[in-house]
Amino acid sequence: MTNKNYNYHQTKFVTSAPDIHHLPNDHGIEIAFAGRSNAGKSSALNALTQQKNLARTSKTPGRTQLINLFEVAEGIRLVDLPGYGYAEVPESVKRQWQQALSEYLQKRKCLKGLIILMDIRHPLKDMDIQMIEWSVAMNIPILILLTKADKLVPNKRKTQLIAVHNKLKTVAGNIQVETFSSLKKMGIDKLQLKLDEWFNEQHSEHN
């Protein structure tokens, strides 16, 4: 079977849901984007799809309070999960988000890969590590994007990349780490390649 290259520029918004019970049927293939509220998830999705407003970016981190679904092709979807960590909202709201997030990760059967975004200057916070451990336990492959990489000089970027690699050596999962910048379009090719690989792998298993 020939591997397909998906056209991410044609990605369309499908729906927003407060929890998995309001999502469309659990079939097809989903790759989810997760990260702290200020990690640049929406910017990464917009850069990948070359659509300025596909995922709404906000000056106030933590606006992604819902699970947002985007369709790349029939049965092939990208998911923007609620940001975790930093967000000025009441504790009860945070707990609601965490609940929606953990339920999605544990129960959504069509979830086949996870992109975890972290600010390259502050990687591997507690919640990031929790997400990684969770995904490894669920046998979900991970691509870590160290975002806002343009804010560091190349030398420092490399040092951070190596540091993250080294810290994750003890985690025995399927994990790849790349530097990324939505602003400078850095790492978008690697992100596309990984998405294509995951979608194709799953597609051939389904057929």
Side-chain angles (χ1 to χ4, degrees), residues 16-89:
S16 291
D19 52 49
I20 62 167
H21 311 291
H22 292 82
L23 287 175
N25 289 345
D26 193 354
H27 60 72
I29 307 164
E30 288 177 2
I31 308 286
F33 283 64
R36 283 165 64 77
S37 303
N38 51 351
K41 277 189 299 99
S42 303
S43 303
L45 274 161
N46 290 341
L48 167 71
T49 57
Q50 289 188 14
Q51 298 181 45
K52 278 201 181 81
N53 303 313
L54 183 74
R56 292 185 186 85
T57 54
S58 160
K59 292 282 176 248
T60 315
R63 284 291 164 85
T64 310
Q65 301 170 17
L66 301 165
I67 299 170
N68 294 307
L69 238 61
F70 305 95
E71 190 171 68
V72 178
E74 198 179 335
I76 302 282
R77 294 181 296 275
L78 299 174
V79 184
D80 189 8
L81 291 172
Y84 50 80
Y86 168 81
E88 291 176 22
V89 293

Side-chain angles (χ1 to χ4, degrees), residues 11 15-16 21 23-24 52 57 92 95 107 125 138 148:
T11 304
T15 187
S16 291
H21 311 291
L23 287 175
K52 278 201 181 81
T57 54
S92 58
R95 277 198 300 274
K107 297 183 180 168
K125 299 274 191 195
M138 304 292 291
K148 310 183 186 182

